[in-house]
Amino acid sequence: MNPELQAIYQDVIIDHGRHPRNHGELEASTHTQRGYNPVCGDELTMYLIVENDCVSDVKFKGQGCAISMASASLMTEWLKGKTLAEAKQQFEQFQQLLTQADANIDTEKLGKIAILEGVKAYPMRVKCATLAWHTMNAALSNDAESVSTEQ
């Protein structure tokens, strides 16, 4: 990645980390789950409203490092209006993007989320970036247990 593009990506992460979109609670949520990263201390609760097999609204509440908040913010922007199948597929692709050196992922389909690919260079931060995604996936799967990045 060229330095100019990397600087733009860092600006987006900093902006979403400081001013997360879709931050707050949805009282009428149909799916809710807590997530925790004990290594970094990031914690969040994901609230989703699913109607007709589609995520009509999503918010999160929590605190953590800039990477975890930016990832949650970017994910919630992307997730609105997506089907459950699209959400689960995106979860798998995002996991591959951050954990596999030779992942064959079409980053254009990921949109702004693809900027988090740079986190792959910092293995300790991958759990920060994936916490919101694991939490969303558990919420949509109706898992009863809270999500921990150490599981």
Side-chain angles (χ1 to χ4, degrees), residues 20-146:
R21 281 60 157 186
N22 303 306
H23 192 260
E25 193 171 327
L26 281 174
E27 290 184 21
S29 63
T30 58
H31 297 70
T32 303
Q33 186 57 269
R34 289 192 67 237
Y36 181 61
N37 176 0
V39 174
C40 192
D42 304 324
E43 59 182 344
L44 58 86
T45 302
M46 192 70 56
Y47 305 92
L48 301 106
I49 296 177
V50 177
E51 300 171 315
N52 301 321
D53 202 42
C54 183
V55 177
S56 63
D57 203 358
V58 57
K59 287 190 175 193
F60 74 99
K61 187 175 171 185
Q63 59 188 6
C65 67
I67 296 294
S68 69
M69 294 294 104
S71 181
S73 177
L74 289 163
M75 184 198 74
T76 57
E77 282 191 328
W78 174 85
L79 189 58
K80 287 184 183 179
K82 299 298 187 284
T83 66
L84 298 183
E86 290 171 325
K88 290 191 178 281
Q89 180 184 28
Q90 196 73 15
F91 167 75
E92 296 296 330
Q93 289 186 342
F94 188 71
Q95 284 292 108
Q96 291 174 14
L97 181 70
L98 267 60
T99 59
Q100 296 178 9
D102 59 349
N104 186 18
I105 305 293
D106 183 357
T107 54
E108 285 191 30
K109 287 185 177 179
L110 295 175
K112 284 199 273 182
I113 295 169
I115 64 170
L116 292 165
E117 183 178 16
V119 172
K120 187 179 350 186
Y122 308 95
M124 291 298 292
R125 308 305 286 196
V126 169
K127 292 179 180 180
C128 302
T130 58
L131 175 63
W133 292 80
H134 282 288
T135 307
M136 175 271 296
N137 191 49
L140 293 178
S141 300
N142 290 318
D143 287 347
E145 298 290 323
S146 294

